[in-house]
Amino acid sequence: MFQENLFLSVLFLVFVLSAAVQLFYYFWFYLAPILYKPSETKGTGQPVSVIICARNEADNLKEFLPSILEQDYPDYEVIVVNDCSEDNSYEVLGEYLEKYPRLRVSNVNKDPQYTHNKKFAQFIGIKAAKNELLLFTDADCRPETTKWIEGMVSHFNEGTDIVLGYGGYLKKQGLLNKYVRYECMTIALQYLGMALRGIPYMGVGRNLAYRRSFFFNKKGFGSHTHVISGDDDLFVNSNSDNKNTCVEYSQAAHTRSLPAKNFSEWFLQKKRHMTTAPHYRERDKFLLVLEPAARAVFYIAFIVLTSFLFLWPSVLAIFGMRLIIQVIVLILAQKRLNEPGVAGFSLIFDIFSPVINGAVLLSNTIRRPGKNQWK
């Protein structure tokens, strides 16, 4: 009996500590994007090069490219790097070249003796750009409004080299879509919140801007060129700091992407994205692992403590307090980031997301994707 009580007492302390860690993340990091009020900006009007890399994206280019070419911004070009496409991307782009004078196309032809990942196509686009300010998105993305470019580049001043934006997913039917949008929103709360607290660690290529001169001064993709992903987050992780990075996530500056159609497609996409995690700075890896680890411990400890009815009123009170704070933050976040309908599933998704991410990491450990896989 004594050993059992000692074990449960220690477990209760661990439960309290894990709850405290999570509340720290919610109050310090996740609330930051919700409460943030940007200062007056001065960068509007600077010439911009929008860069899109595309491989076999004819349908998406046909549907989404006009929303980028018809932005309400005075001075910009759109560069599409058509990278070894085997569909009718050439025809779609040729049609748009005649219609939109802002459009420029760089074609990369397929070479059986040489394969490459997306970073090579990105580099081609950066080299082709005429302007200092570079704004990146994907072929399957569309801006929420015609003010997207204006919003994303408005923060560029003398001290700003990187601007992190919000790239959400289109709302569709089904539980998978809700989880994809929930995860996208919570990841955004994390990377935007950490950036606002002076710890920028990643951005998303669906909505990211930086200076062309900054890219070349930092040796481009450098030591992580071989990593299949990371043209966005690894570049930011390697080169951002609390002085050169700003955030912009007003709804006018959002982008929306096509979500995965099924779990298998999403799982493969998630695997590719998580190949970058081992290459992050040590500080960032610690901060990113700490919260989900504390969350897993929190739920396990809760189940064990309640099953033994050990200090159950205190256990339920702590659990309830943490749940209420979580729901309030996520309701505010879904309003700020325009992600309706995901906060109601937060408890279920919150429990299972560490398990899912752990499975993805384990899968990557057992079998890593090829280094030159494009997408």
Side-chain angles (χ1 to χ4, degrees):
M1 181 65 70
F2 172 76
Q3 290 181 335
E4 180 180 297
N5 285 336
L6 178 62
F7 167 74
L8 292 174
S9 297
V10 172
L11 187 62
F12 178 76
L13 292 176
V14 171
F15 175 72
V16 172
L17 180 61
S18 64
V21 168
Q22 292 170 84
L23 292 179
F24 168 77
Y25 274 76
Y26 274 94
F27 283 121
W28 185 244
F29 292 130
Y30 303 162
L31 264 181
I34 297 168
L35 302 178
Y36 171 66
K37 294 182 179 179
S39 57
E40 186 177 345
T41 56
K42 302 178 181 178
T44 303
Q46 301 176 75
V48 179
S49 295
V50 179
I51 298 175
I52 302 167
C53 297
R55 177 176 288 182
N56 297 325
E57 297 274 11
D59 292 340
N60 290 329
L61 288 169
K62 188 170 185 177
E63 181 176 357
F64 297 118
L65 190 55
S67 65
I68 295 170
L69 291 163
E70 296 169 3
Q71 285 286 298
D72 183 12
Y73 194 79
D75 189 358
Y76 75 101
E77 63 176 357
V78 177
I79 301 170
V80 176
V81 182
N82 186 26
D83 187 22
C84 305
S85 293
E86 297 177 328
D87 59 4
N88 64 328
S89 294
Y90 291 93
E91 289 77 9
V92 172
L93 292 171
E95 178 185 335
Y96 285 159
L97 279 169
E98 296 179 0
K99 185 177 180 181
Y100 297 102
R102 297 187 187 276
L103 177 61
R104 298 172 58 204
V105 177
S106 294
N107 290 308
V108 179
N109 296 320
K110 192 171 185 179
D111 185 346
Q113 296 182 336
Y114 176 72
T115 59
H116 57 268
N117 56 31
K118 186 180 178 181
K119 293 189 182 76
F120 178 78
Q122 200 92 307
F123 180 76
I124 294 296
I126 293 170
K127 286 282 287 184
K130 296 178 180 179
N131 300 316
E132 167 69 354
L133 301 187
L134 309 178
L135 178 55
F136 298 88
T137 190
D138 289 339
D140 62 352
C141 293
R142 64 164 173 80
E144 287 275 76
T145 72
T146 59
K147 296 292 185 180
W148 168 60
I149 295 178
E150 180 179 317
M152 283 299 295
V153 303
S154 64
H155 293 276
F156 278 106
N157 53 39
E158 188 175 338
T160 303
D161 295 310
I162 301 172
V163 177
L164 310 178
Y166 179 67
Y169 287 95
L170 293 168
K171 185 179 180 181
K172 303 286 186 180
Q173 295 294 321
L175 187 63
L176 176 62
N177 180 260
K178 286 184 171 61
Y179 180 76
V180 168
R181 292 192 298 116
Y182 164 85
E183 184 185 48
C184 179
M185 182 182 76
T186 52
I187 290 174
L189 289 179
Q190 188 163 265
Y191 75 78
L192 294 171
M194 289 177 67
L196 288 169
R197 296 304 185 188
I199 316 173
Y201 78 92
M202 69 163 278
V204 292
R206 303 184 298 275
N207 201 1
L208 174 67
Y210 50 77
R211 294 184 183 275
R212 188 175 187 271
S213 59
F214 181 74
F215 176 83
F216 287 110
N217 289 340
K218 296 296 183 179
K219 311 300 181 186
F221 298 121
S223 60
H224 56 82
T225 303
H226 64 286
V227 182
I228 64 169
S229 193
D231 53 279
D232 44 15
D233 60 337
L234 282 183
F235 180 78
V236 173
N237 191 264
S238 301
N239 301 299
S240 61
D241 59 43
N242 61 348
K243 295 179 180 179
N244 70 3
T245 305
C246 289
V247 301
E248 171 53 57
Y249 53 93
S250 62
Q251 292 189 13
H254 291 179
T255 62
R256 295 285 165 186
S257 302
L258 288 174
K261 299 182 182 68
N262 51 61
F263 181 81
S264 176
E265 181 181 331
W266 173 83
F267 192 81
L268 289 174
Q269 186 181 74
K270 187 71 176 175
K271 283 185 64 175
R272 178 172 57 84
H273 290 167
M274 293 187 75
T275 57
T276 62
H279 303 276
Y280 282 7
R281 292 174 291 208
E282 294 301 321
R283 175 202 63 185
D284 300 330
K285 285 192 282 189
F286 172 77
L287 289 172
L288 294 176
V289 169
L290 180 60
E291 191 281 325
R295 199 187 332 161
V297 170
F298 176 82
Y299 284 121
I300 293 171
F302 174 76
I303 292 171
V304 175
L305 291 169
T306 52
S307 66
F308 281 91
L309 298 178
F310 185 82
L311 297 178
W312 64 266
S314 298
V315 171
L316 290 178
I318 293 170
F319 185 90
M321 177 184 66
R322 186 259 186 196
L323 179 61
I324 291 170
I325 292 170
Q326 176 195 37
V327 171
I328 291 173
V329 170
L330 293 180
I331 288 174
L332 294 173
Q334 75 173 13
K335 182 177 181 181
R336 187 71 190 267
L337 298 177
N338 194 24
E339 294 289 359
V342 298
F345 293 83
S346 58
L347 179 59
I348 298 172
F349 293 158
D350 190 62
I351 292 172
F352 286 102
S353 61
V355 177
I356 295 171
N357 289 336
V360 174
L361 284 172
L362 180 61
S363 178
N364 275 349
T365 301
I366 296 172
R367 183 179 181 182
R368 294 187 178 276
K371 68 177 183 178
N372 285 324
Q373 183 178 340
W374 198 89
K375 188 174 181 181

